Amino acid sequence: QVQLVESGGGLVQPGGSLRLSCAASGFTFSDYAMSWYRQAPGKERELVAAITSAGGSTNYADSVKGRFTISRDNAKNTVYLQMGSLKPADPAVYYCNAQRRRFVGPPYNYWGQGTQVTVSS
């Protein structure tokens, strides 16, 4: 049974920081690229950050570059998103995603249930 469970969301002041965690189970975590998406009310879900299966490469949305850091600990089957300098545009439900590309057919793609991040003064 595949599970991705996000935690660490909450209320934070503008300019503050927060660390999200996503605990994975039910699949071989180290074989999957991991990413964080977010979705604000009335907006489409967007990619925030991604990291390759071994953690050797990352990429970020332009809006969070220099402020957010994605990392993973394959021994703990966990991916993290360290968020700093939070802005009013950052509040959203943040979702953890696991993806394993395939050379033939669509990729394996799993989602967590999301964790709410609220930025308020």
Side-chain angles (χ1 to χ4, degrees), residues 45-121:
R45 188 175 299 184
E46 63 175 345
L47 177 67
V48 176
I51 187 167
T52 53
S53 59
S57 182
T58 60
N59 67 79
Y60 299 90
D62 288 342
S63 60
V64 307
K65 286 181 179 177
R67 299 190 297 120
F68 290 12
T69 301
I70 187 171
S71 62
R72 67 190 296 159
D73 187 339
N74 285 352
K76 297 180 178 179
N77 287 1
T78 302
V79 64
Y80 305 93
L81 184 67
Q82 180 68 49
M83 304 184 294
S85 301
L86 285 160
K87 301 177 179 180
D90 294 325
V93 177
Y94 283 71
Y95 296 91
C96 177
N97 171 263
Q99 186 174 94
R100 183 184 183 186
R101 296 200 313 222
R102 300 161 68 187
F103 290 100
V104 178
Y108 298 105
N109 198 30
Y110 305 125
W111 293 91
Q113 65 181 11
T115 186
Q116 178 72 51
V117 173
T118 302
V119 182
S120 177
S121 60

